[in-house]
Amino acid sequence: MSELIWCKDLIKNYGSVPALNGINLTLESGKIVGLLGPNGSGKTTLIKLLNGLLTPSRGLITIDGKLIGPKTKEMVAYLPDNSYLNSWMTVRQIVAYFADFYADFRPEVAYEMLNRLGIAPDKKLKSLSKGNKEKVCLILVMSRNARLYILDEPIAGVDPAARDYVISTILNNYNPEATVLISTHLISEIEQVLDEVIFLKEGNIVLHKTMDEIRTEYGKSVDELFREVFKW
C-alpha cells in the first residue's frame, strides 16, 4: 500500500467563515474509510476540495502525489448526495455517456450489476423509483476503475432491504488498489466494512483511527463512539 491522499495544513474559508481549520491527513491506498461528522463539520468542503470543485484558501492537498487538477480528476470517481443525471435519458444512454467520458469506465461491469438488480437498460431514468435511481448512480460510479472513490451518502436514498446490496456493490466492484471514502450519517449500516474512520468537528479532525484501534482503545462500536464524541 502507498500514500494516496495527503493534506498539509489545509484551510478553507468561505469569506470570513472557516470551514476547514488547517487539517493534516494521510490516507493509504486499498482502504475503505468513513468520513463522519455532523452537518457543518466540513465533510462536504473536504469532498469538494478532493474533487477539484473548490480550491484551498491555504495549504496543500494531493492525490497520488499530484496537486489537484486535471490529472487527479481522472483518478476520482465521485457519487454526490444528489442525482446529477438527465432524467430523460435511458439507462443505456447514460452508460454509453459514461463510457465516452471516462477512459476507465467498464460498461460490462455496469450491465452486470444492472442485470442483477433487474433494472432494464432501456428504461428512462425518470421512470425509475427513487431507490433505483440511487442504485443506477452508484453502479455508474463503481463501474469505473478509479484510484479514489468518494461516496456521499450512498445508502441514504435506498430502503433498508436494499442497503446490503449497495454495500456489497461497493465491496465487490472497486479497484482493490484504490481507496473508498464514504461520507454518511447511517454509521451503523456501514461500519462493518470500514478499515478506518475520520471524525470531523467544526473543521477539525478530532479522531482518525483504524477499526482495530477503536475496538482496542475504546471498546465501542463506531456508532457508539460517534454519539459520545458528538453528544450535545
Side-chain angles (χ1 to χ4, degrees), residues 155-173:
I155 58 175
V158 298
D159 59 88
R163 286 175 186 165
D164 285 345
Y165 176 82
V166 170
I167 290 168
S168 69
T169 297
I170 294 168
L171 284 174
N172 295 325
N173 292 282

Side-chain angles (χ1 to χ4, degrees), residues 64-140:
D64 198 26
K66 299 174 180 63
L67 292 171
I68 302 299
K71 287 294 183 184
T72 62
K73 288 182 179 181
E74 293 174 2
M75 305 178 197
V76 179
Y78 174 40
L79 178 71
D81 60 349
N82 292 307
S83 177
Y84 55 94
L85 302 173
N86 291 316
S87 61
W88 56 265
M89 295 177 76
T90 66
V91 175
R92 190 184 305 278
Q93 287 172 324
I94 295 169
V95 169
Y97 174 79
F98 266 63
D100 283 343
F101 198 81
Y102 297 107
D104 61 2
F105 187 76
R106 303 167 292 175
E108 69 283 0
V109 172
Y111 282 120
E112 180 186 344
M113 287 191 276
L114 289 166
N115 183 58
R116 287 209 305 269
L117 275 179
I119 297 176
D122 292 318
K123 286 273 191 183
K124 289 190 175 181
L125 195 67
K126 65 182 178 183
S127 71
L128 300 180
S129 67
K130 184 176 186 295
N132 277 346
K133 287 176 186 174
E134 297 283 346
K135 291 172 195 170
V136 168
C137 291
L138 178 66
I139 284 169
L140 292 166

Side-chain angles (χ1 to χ4, degrees), residues 25-95:
L25 175 67
T26 301
L27 293 178
E28 294 182 337
S29 59
K31 302 286 187 180
I32 300 179
V33 182
L35 179 63
L36 311 176
N39 292 334
S41 60
K43 301 190 305 296
T44 298
T45 296
L46 180 57
I47 285 171
K48 288 183 176 181
L49 287 166
L50 287 166
N51 277 288
L53 300 173
L54 293 172
T55 55
S57 300
R58 288 205 300 278
L60 292 174
I61 179 169
T62 65
I63 299 175
D64 198 26
K66 299 174 180 63
L67 292 171
I68 302 299
K71 287 294 183 184
T72 62
K73 288 182 179 181
E74 293 174 2
M75 305 178 197
V76 179
Y78 174 40
L79 178 71
D81 60 349
N82 292 307
S83 177
Y84 55 94
L85 302 173
N86 291 316
S87 61
W88 56 265
M89 295 177 76
T90 66
V91 175
R92 190 184 305 278
Q93 287 172 324
I94 295 169
V95 169

Side-chain angles (χ1 to χ4, degrees), residues 207-222:
L207 180 143
H208 179 197
K209 300 279 188 182
T210 67
M211 294 299 290
D212 286 342
E213 287 171 335
I214 288 173
R215 283 188 285 266
T216 301
E217 295 178 25
Y218 300 96
K220 301 177 185 290
S221 70
V222 175

Side-chain angles (χ1 to χ4, degrees), residues 8-20:
K8 175 67 173 175
D9 300 329
L10 186 63
I11 293 173
K12 179 61 182 177
N13 299 320
Y14 297 106
S16 61
V17 179
L20 293 176

